[in-house]
Amino acid sequence: MNTEAKLSQSSTQAVNPTLSGSRLSRFSLPLVAMIICLPLLVVVAAFFLGIFSVEQRANLAHLWDTVIGEYVRHSGILLVGVGFMVVVIGVSTAWLTTACRFPGVRWLRWALLLPLAMPAYITAYTYTGILAFEGPVQTALRSAFGWGFGDYWFPEVRSIGGAVLMLGLVFFPYVYLITRAAFIEQSSAAIEAGRTLGLGPWASFWRIALPMARPAIATGVTLALMETLADYGTVHYFGVTTFTTGIFRTWYGMGDQIGALQLASMLLTFVVVLMVVERISRARSRYHGAGRSSVRARPHVLTGWKAAGAFLACFLPVLFGFLFPAIQLGWWSLERAEIWLQPTFWSLVGNTVLLATIAAFVTVVLALWLCYGKRRSPTRMVRGSVGMATLGYAIPGVVIAVGVMVPLAWLDNRFIDITEFLFGWNPGLILSGTIVALIFAYAVRFLSISIQTVDSGLSQIRHSMDESARVLGLSPREVLKRIHFPLLRTSILTASILVFVDVLKELPATIVLRPFNFNTLAVRAYEMAGDERLADAGPPALMIVLAGLIPVILLSRAMGRRNEAEQAANAAEPKPEDIYEPVKA
């Protein structure tokens, strides 16, 4: 009877995941999530402390009278311009590659994702080299027409208009990817009904498909705009003053820590507004989707000039967003081939790979622990804490860097005071001046990617497997090691790769928090471009782009598998003629 009672108790705990979760995890998970959110809390607290301080209110008023208006105006122009570009390019290419058939559409579906591999600041460097006075375009014009300096007008790429163009070319795949998924999931019933009523392809798009995809479009645009607000390398190189450049200028140029925190809090307000819009659009999406089991509408077969126009509409974003910058980077890398042989270059590669590897390991371990803890103890506090830990990805890297620097510097100073008082020894900076600060910032910034990927993998594992293992006497750690971990290998590998590549491309947080005399590929490309040595920026930038191709390949493969599964499901759907026999006359 005693054995039966133990089995009954184990079975009861397995059925109720809240009972099976340890009391330690239910308190430790919110604590870890609070530590992850600490940089954001520091930024928010600085804003409110500034309101109640007379000195800081005067400082804030001075910033408002001098620079904040310019920051808001330039940020607004970037948001409007980039938003317009990503909507036009992303929605049109998503519709053409989903609803139409024309030569080249198969490879254009994944080629339109390639601009994601090109960081915006690298695209800005390459187009500056292409379109500058000494670049190949203007050199060819002067040779062809015999012009000299001042004989012709050429648009200035290093301007706010150029920044809009660069950011739009890089960020439109966010809208393309999400909107195309929405078009794929739309039911054929409404589209076929519109065709029956005489609607052509464009009329069906404007009157049926586009209204149904509005929430997805809003989500993609919101993601693109958050990346626009987070950009530093492009706007700084083009001389456009925004909140990100203002934070750097206030922190480093003026030495005003509190002013930088106040600017960071204002930038955070913009991001929060965009996040709220994205949440609302996602909540409304259930009214517009027809489910993935829906039969897709028959594609429009385009021929002649229509097929050529559709091909150009989809190919030009790939040409300007990826191929031209990649070709320019390859040319610079050939011109500076000796850089590839220098030990300092491979030292940069080693530093970058080291940081990316440690950050990927730390974030994946944290994500696995948080997601598994939420699975075992799905209380409201635990679920809310894990959700808070995912906010970092939507926050600009410069805001996170400022929020990380302040508490770590305070901890370093207190530790120095204690060691000097007790031992008369100054250990120096242990947290704020080391790789620890960088890894912490990366974990805050990219933990959301790991959590979403690991949580998606865990959701596909039935709770009955946990219950069976617990009934057989396995501890939670053994369940994770022997059952969940083997099933999560693909999700863990995917999360590791995504975080690894994002750390390679991260620029603002790395510039602020890197240790003294410690560079990465992104920082070296930024420094070379800042010194107008664009060709020397080619090799490190090309290495970053090549690494950025990894998640693009993963995305394209995932989209390919999804299309194959949907085509198989559509082929298995019974057709009306298979169910009903035709009526004989």
Side-chain angles (χ1 to χ4, degrees), residues 60 148 171 197 287 334 344 346 356 366 429 444 516 537 573:
L60 184 61
F171 296 146
L197 296 175
Y287 298 108
L334 289 177
T344 54
W346 292 106
L366 283 174
L429 299 178
V444 176
F516 177 74
E573 286 282 345

Side-chain angles (χ1 to χ4, degrees), residues 106-115 172 176 318 322 552 556:
R106 289 184 178 274
W107 68 268
L108 282 171
R109 287 172 183 162
W110 60 262
L112 284 164
L113 297 174
L114 290 176
F172 82 85
Y176 163 77
V318 179
F322 180 80
V552 172
S556 61

Side-chain angles (χ1 to χ4, degrees), residues 93 102 142 181 206 260 268 328 357 404 438 479 483 555 559:
T93 53
F102 53 89
R142 291 194 300 271
W206 283 108
L268 185 61
Q328 181 65 66
T357 302
V404 166
L438 267 177
V479 173
I483 297 177
L555 279 174
M559 291 177 63

Side-chain angles (χ1 to χ4, degrees), residues 371-453:
C371 293
Y372 187 58
K374 186 180 70 171
R375 181 184 177 92
R376 293 183 58 222
S377 304
T379 62
R380 181 175 298 179
M381 177 181 292
V382 171
R383 287 187 282 109
S385 301
V386 176
M388 288 180 59
T390 63
L391 296 177
Y393 190 68
I395 308 303
V398 63
V399 175
I400 293 177
V402 172
V404 166
M405 180 64 76
V406 172
L408 292 188
W410 183 86
L411 288 175
D412 275 338
N413 289 328
R414 301 292 78 76
F415 185 74
I416 291 173
D417 293 340
I418 293 173
T419 55
E420 286 184 342
F421 177 76
L422 295 178
F423 309 106
W425 172 60
N426 186 347
L429 299 178
I430 298 177
L431 300 177
S432 58
T434 63
I435 295 179
V436 175
L438 267 177
I439 299 301
F440 182 38
Y442 292 151
V444 176
R445 180 86 164 88
F446 303 118
L447 184 60
S448 174
I449 301 175
S450 297
I451 287 179
Q452 292 179 6
T453 307

